Amino acid sequence: MPANVLADGGRKARAAAMLARGLPAEHVGRQVEVSGRTVRRWLEDPEYAEQVQELRRTALGETLRALETVSRSAVGVLGRVLANDDAPLAIRVRAALGVLTALPRIAEHVELEERVALLEAATACRDEGGAS
């Protein structure tokens, strides 16, 4: 991995954190007191751009872990609402729709993860075979 161009904690590091959150270069530039053009020039540096991407991936991973944690509770709530015969029908229908809407997306995600794992394993086997 390239040297960390963000290690100094200065303008470039602060800008990277904002860029990783999806803020536009012009806005980021104003916040760190440089021009938007300067921010865009920083992004032309492959090392800097890669580290901004890494910040994005890290933030996304943290968000996904947080969602995984609360999703278990959400599923439990939906299950209790669906099982509660005293709950208003409209609420039970919404809970059922919530479950049915999420299910295909979750299944697609799981399938995609499995396919990526298989591709990674195949690539690793090929790389090992070529290295000997």
Short mmCIF file of all heavy atoms in Angstrom, two decimals, residues 1 4-6 12-23 28 39 42-60:
data_model
loop_
_atom_site.label_atom_id
_atom_site.label_comp_id
_atom_site.label_asym_id
_atom_site.label_seq_id
_atom_site.Cartn_x
_atom_site.Cartn_y
_atom_site.Cartn_z
N MET A 1 0.85 -1.19 0.00
CA MET A 1 0.00 0.00 0.00
C MET A 1 0.88 1.23 0.00
O MET A 1 1.92 1.26 0.66
CB MET A 1 -0.91 -0.03 1.22
CG MET A 1 -1.77 1.21 1.37
SD MET A 1 -3.36 0.75 2.06
CE MET A 1 -4.43 1.80 1.16
N ASN A 4 0.80 6.72 3.47
CA ASN A 4 -0.45 7.39 3.80
C ASN A 4 -0.30 8.89 3.62
O ASN A 4 0.34 9.56 4.42
CB ASN A 4 -0.85 7.05 5.24
CG ASN A 4 -2.24 7.54 5.57
OD1 ASN A 4 -2.80 8.39 4.89
ND2 ASN A 4 -2.81 7.00 6.62
N VAL A 5 -0.89 9.42 2.56
CA VAL A 5 -0.81 10.85 2.29
C VAL A 5 -1.72 11.64 3.22
O VAL A 5 -1.73 12.86 3.20
CB VAL A 5 -1.15 11.18 0.81
CG1 VAL A 5 -0.12 10.58 -0.12
CG2 VAL A 5 -2.55 10.76 0.45
N LEU A 6 -2.48 10.96 4.04
CA LEU A 6 -3.41 11.63 4.95
C LEU A 6 -2.88 11.69 6.38
O LEU A 6 -3.54 12.20 7.27
CB LEU A 6 -4.76 10.91 4.95
CG LEU A 6 -5.37 10.66 3.58
CD1 LEU A 6 -6.70 9.94 3.73
CD2 LEU A 6 -5.54 11.93 2.81
N LYS A 12 -5.45 18.19 3.53
CA LYS A 12 -5.74 17.06 2.64
C LYS A 12 -6.49 15.96 3.39
O LYS A 12 -7.39 15.33 2.84
CB LYS A 12 -4.46 16.51 2.02
CG LYS A 12 -3.90 17.40 0.93
CD LYS A 12 -2.62 16.85 0.37
CE LYS A 12 -2.91 16.10 -0.90
NZ LYS A 12 -1.66 15.71 -1.61
N ALA A 13 -6.10 15.71 4.62
CA ALA A 13 -6.77 14.68 5.42
C ALA A 13 -8.20 15.09 5.72
O ALA A 13 -9.13 14.27 5.61
CB ALA A 13 -6.00 14.43 6.71
N ARG A 14 -8.40 16.34 6.12
CA ARG A 14 -9.77 16.81 6.41
C ARG A 14 -10.62 16.78 5.14
O ARG A 14 -11.78 16.39 5.17
CB ARG A 14 -9.73 18.21 7.02
CG ARG A 14 -9.10 18.22 8.41
CD ARG A 14 -9.24 19.52 9.18
NE ARG A 14 -9.44 20.74 8.43
CZ ARG A 14 -8.48 21.62 8.11
NH1 ARG A 14 -7.23 21.40 8.48
NH2 ARG A 14 -8.78 22.72 7.45
N ALA A 15 -10.01 17.16 4.01
CA ALA A 15 -10.72 17.14 2.74
C ALA A 15 -11.10 15.71 2.38
O ALA A 15 -12.22 15.45 1.93
CB ALA A 15 -9.87 17.76 1.64
N ALA A 16 -10.18 14.77 2.58
CA ALA A 16 -10.45 13.37 2.25
C ALA A 16 -11.64 12.85 3.03
O ALA A 16 -12.49 12.13 2.48
CB ALA A 16 -9.21 12.51 2.51
N ALA A 17 -11.71 13.19 4.30
CA ALA A 17 -12.83 12.74 5.13
C ALA A 17 -14.15 13.27 4.58
O ALA A 17 -15.16 12.55 4.54
CB ALA A 17 -12.64 13.17 6.58
N MET A 18 -14.16 14.52 4.14
CA MET A 18 -15.40 15.10 3.59
C MET A 18 -15.72 14.51 2.22
O MET A 18 -16.88 14.24 1.92
CB MET A 18 -15.27 16.62 3.52
CG MET A 18 -15.33 17.29 4.88
SD MET A 18 -15.28 19.09 4.75
CE MET A 18 -13.55 19.37 5.00
N LEU A 19 -14.69 14.31 1.40
CA LEU A 19 -14.92 13.71 0.09
C LEU A 19 -15.46 12.29 0.24
O LEU A 19 -16.33 11.87 -0.53
CB LEU A 19 -13.61 13.70 -0.72
CG LEU A 19 -13.11 15.06 -1.18
CD1 LEU A 19 -11.66 14.97 -1.64
CD2 LEU A 19 -14.01 15.62 -2.28
N ALA A 20 -14.95 11.57 1.23
CA ALA A 20 -15.41 10.21 1.47
C ALA A 20 -16.89 10.19 1.85
O ALA A 20 -17.58 9.20 1.59
CB ALA A 20 -14.58 9.55 2.57
N ARG A 21 -17.39 11.27 2.43
CA ARG A 21 -18.81 11.36 2.77
C ARG A 21 -19.65 11.81 1.57
O ARG A 21 -20.86 11.96 1.67
CB ARG A 21 -19.02 12.33 3.93
CG ARG A 21 -18.46 11.81 5.24
CD ARG A 21 -18.91 12.61 6.46
NE ARG A 21 -19.24 13.99 6.26
CZ ARG A 21 -18.49 15.03 6.67
NH1 ARG A 21 -17.36 14.83 7.30
NH2 ARG A 21 -18.89 16.26 6.46
N GLY A 22 -18.97 12.08 0.45
CA GLY A 22 -19.70 12.42 -0.77
C GLY A 22 -19.91 13.91 -0.99
O GLY A 22 -20.67 14.30 -1.87
N LEU A 23 -19.25 14.74 -0.21
CA LEU A 23 -19.41 16.18 -0.39
C LEU A 23 -18.67 16.64 -1.66
O LEU A 23 -17.62 16.09 -2.00
CB LEU A 23 -18.87 16.93 0.83
CG LEU A 23 -19.62 16.66 2.13
CD1 LEU A 23 -18.91 17.30 3.31
CD2 LEU A 23 -21.06 17.14 2.04
N VAL A 28 -15.97 21.16 -0.16
CA VAL A 28 -14.82 20.70 0.61
C VAL A 28 -13.72 21.76 0.59
O VAL A 28 -13.13 22.08 1.63
CB VAL A 28 -14.30 19.35 0.06
CG1 VAL A 28 -12.97 18.98 0.69
CG2 VAL A 28 -15.33 18.26 0.27
N VAL A 39 -8.79 20.83 -4.71
CA VAL A 39 -9.33 19.55 -4.24
C VAL A 39 -9.40 18.56 -5.40
O VAL A 39 -9.02 17.39 -5.26
CB VAL A 39 -10.71 19.73 -3.57
CG1 VAL A 39 -11.34 18.39 -3.22
CG2 VAL A 39 -10.59 20.61 -2.32
N TRP A 42 -5.99 17.29 -6.11
CA TRP A 42 -5.60 16.27 -5.14
C TRP A 42 -6.17 14.92 -5.54
O TRP A 42 -5.51 13.90 -5.43
CB TRP A 42 -6.08 16.63 -3.75
CG TRP A 42 -5.39 17.79 -3.10
CD1 TRP A 42 -4.20 18.36 -3.47
CD2 TRP A 42 -5.86 18.54 -1.98
NE1 TRP A 42 -3.90 19.42 -2.63
CE2 TRP A 42 -4.90 19.55 -1.71
CE3 TRP A 42 -6.99 18.47 -1.17
CZ2 TRP A 42 -5.04 20.45 -0.67
CZ3 TRP A 42 -7.13 19.38 -0.14
CH2 TRP A 42 -6.17 20.36 0.12
N LEU A 43 -7.43 14.93 -6.00
CA LEU A 43 -8.08 13.67 -6.39
C LEU A 43 -7.46 13.05 -7.64
O LEU A 43 -7.66 11.87 -7.91
CB LEU A 43 -9.57 13.89 -6.60
CG LEU A 43 -10.40 14.01 -5.32
CD1 LEU A 43 -11.80 14.51 -5.63
CD2 LEU A 43 -10.44 12.69 -4.58
N GLU A 44 -6.72 13.82 -8.40
CA GLU A 44 -6.03 13.27 -9.57
C GLU A 44 -4.83 12.43 -9.16
O GLU A 44 -4.33 11.64 -9.96
CB GLU A 44 -5.61 14.40 -10.51
CG GLU A 44 -6.78 15.08 -11.18
CD GLU A 44 -6.39 16.33 -11.95
OE1 GLU A 44 -5.17 16.63 -12.05
OE2 GLU A 44 -7.29 17.01 -12.46
N ASP A 45 -4.35 12.60 -7.93
CA ASP A 45 -3.24 11.79 -7.41
C ASP A 45 -3.80 10.42 -7.06
O ASP A 45 -4.66 10.30 -6.18
CB ASP A 45 -2.66 12.48 -6.18
CG ASP A 45 -1.61 11.63 -5.47
OD1 ASP A 45 -1.28 10.53 -5.94
OD2 ASP A 45 -1.12 12.09 -4.42
N PRO A 46 -3.34 9.35 -7.73
CA PRO A 46 -3.91 8.02 -7.49
C PRO A 46 -3.81 7.57 -6.03
O PRO A 46 -4.73 6.92 -5.53
CB PRO A 46 -3.07 7.10 -8.39
CG PRO A 46 -2.48 8.00 -9.42
CD PRO A 46 -2.31 9.34 -8.79
N GLU A 47 -2.74 7.92 -5.34
CA GLU A 47 -2.61 7.52 -3.94
C GLU A 47 -3.66 8.20 -3.08
O GLU A 47 -4.28 7.58 -2.22
CB GLU A 47 -1.20 7.85 -3.41
CG GLU A 47 -0.11 6.98 -3.99
CD GLU A 47 1.25 7.34 -3.45
OE1 GLU A 47 1.34 8.17 -2.52
OE2 GLU A 47 2.24 6.78 -3.95
N TYR A 48 -3.85 9.49 -3.32
CA TYR A 48 -4.85 10.25 -2.56
C TYR A 48 -6.25 9.72 -2.86
O TYR A 48 -7.03 9.46 -1.95
CB TYR A 48 -4.74 11.74 -2.89
CG TYR A 48 -5.66 12.62 -2.07
CD1 TYR A 48 -5.32 12.96 -0.77
CD2 TYR A 48 -6.85 13.11 -2.60
CE1 TYR A 48 -6.15 13.78 -0.01
CE2 TYR A 48 -7.68 13.93 -1.85
CZ TYR A 48 -7.32 14.25 -0.56
OH TYR A 48 -8.15 15.06 0.19
N ALA A 49 -6.54 9.54 -4.14
CA ALA A 49 -7.86 9.04 -4.54
C ALA A 49 -8.13 7.67 -3.94
O ALA A 49 -9.25 7.40 -3.47
CB ALA A 49 -7.97 8.99 -6.06
N GLU A 50 -7.12 6.80 -3.92
CA GLU A 50 -7.30 5.47 -3.32
C GLU A 50 -7.57 5.57 -1.83
O GLU A 50 -8.39 4.83 -1.29
CB GLU A 50 -6.06 4.60 -3.59
CG GLU A 50 -6.08 3.26 -2.89
CD GLU A 50 -7.29 2.38 -3.22
OE1 GLU A 50 -7.81 2.46 -4.35
OE2 GLU A 50 -7.74 1.63 -2.33
N GLN A 51 -6.90 6.49 -1.16
CA GLN A 51 -7.13 6.61 0.28
C GLN A 51 -8.49 7.23 0.59
O GLN A 51 -9.11 6.87 1.59
CB GLN A 51 -5.96 7.35 0.92
CG GLN A 51 -4.73 6.45 0.89
CD GLN A 51 -3.48 7.07 1.43
OE1 GLN A 51 -3.52 8.08 2.12
NE2 GLN A 51 -2.35 6.46 1.12
N VAL A 52 -8.97 8.10 -0.28
CA VAL A 52 -10.35 8.60 -0.12
C VAL A 52 -11.32 7.43 -0.29
O VAL A 52 -12.26 7.27 0.49
CB VAL A 52 -10.65 9.72 -1.14
CG1 VAL A 52 -12.14 10.05 -1.17
CG2 VAL A 52 -9.84 10.98 -0.81
N GLN A 53 -11.07 6.58 -1.30
CA GLN A 53 -11.92 5.41 -1.51
C GLN A 53 -11.87 4.47 -0.31
O GLN A 53 -12.88 3.90 0.09
CB GLN A 53 -11.50 4.65 -2.78
CG GLN A 53 -11.95 5.32 -4.06
CD GLN A 53 -13.45 5.49 -4.11
OE1 GLN A 53 -13.98 6.57 -3.90
NE2 GLN A 53 -14.15 4.42 -4.38
N GLU A 54 -10.70 4.30 0.27
CA GLU A 54 -10.57 3.45 1.45
C GLU A 54 -11.38 4.01 2.62
O GLU A 54 -12.02 3.26 3.36
CB GLU A 54 -9.09 3.29 1.84
CG GLU A 54 -8.86 2.34 2.98
CD GLU A 54 -9.37 0.92 2.73
OE1 GLU A 54 -9.34 0.45 1.58
OE2 GLU A 54 -9.82 0.28 3.69
N LEU A 55 -11.36 5.32 2.78
CA LEU A 55 -12.19 5.95 3.81
C LEU A 55 -13.67 5.67 3.55
O LEU A 55 -14.43 5.39 4.48
CB LEU A 55 -11.95 7.46 3.87
CG LEU A 55 -10.61 7.92 4.43
CD1 LEU A 55 -10.46 9.43 4.24
CD2 LEU A 55 -10.49 7.55 5.90
N ARG A 56 -14.08 5.74 2.27
CA ARG A 56 -15.47 5.43 1.92
C ARG A 56 -15.82 3.99 2.26
O ARG A 56 -16.87 3.71 2.82
CB ARG A 56 -15.71 5.66 0.42
CG ARG A 56 -15.87 7.08 0.04
CD ARG A 56 -16.26 7.22 -1.43
NE ARG A 56 -16.40 8.63 -1.74
CZ ARG A 56 -15.93 9.22 -2.81
NH1 ARG A 56 -15.30 8.52 -3.72
NH2 ARG A 56 -16.10 10.50 -3.00
N ARG A 57 -14.92 3.07 1.89
CA ARG A 57 -15.16 1.65 2.18
C ARG A 57 -15.25 1.40 3.68
O ARG A 57 -16.11 0.65 4.14
CB ARG A 57 -14.07 0.77 1.55
CG ARG A 57 -14.18 0.66 0.03
CD ARG A 57 -13.21 -0.36 -0.53
NE ARG A 57 -11.82 0.06 -0.44
CZ ARG A 57 -11.18 0.74 -1.38
NH1 ARG A 57 -11.80 1.08 -2.50
NH2 ARG A 57 -9.91 1.07 -1.22
N THR A 58 -14.40 2.05 4.44
CA THR A 58 -14.41 1.88 5.89
C THR A 58 -15.73 2.39 6.47
O THR A 58 -16.36 1.72 7.29
CB THR A 58 -13.22 2.64 6.53
OG1 THR A 58 -12.01 2.07 6.03
CG2 THR A 58 -13.25 2.54 8.04
N ALA A 59 -16.15 3.58 6.03
CA ALA A 59 -17.40 4.15 6.52
C ALA A 59 -18.59 3.26 6.14
O ALA A 59 -19.49 3.03 6.96
CB ALA A 59 -17.60 5.56 5.97
N LEU A 60 -18.58 2.76 4.92
CA LEU A 60 -19.66 1.89 4.48
C LEU A 60 -19.69 0.60 5.30
O LEU A 60 -20.75 0.14 5.73
CB LEU A 60 -19.52 1.55 2.99
CG LEU A 60 -20.59 0.64 2.40
CD1 LEU A 60 -21.98 1.25 2.56
CD2 LEU A 60 -20.30 0.36 0.95
#
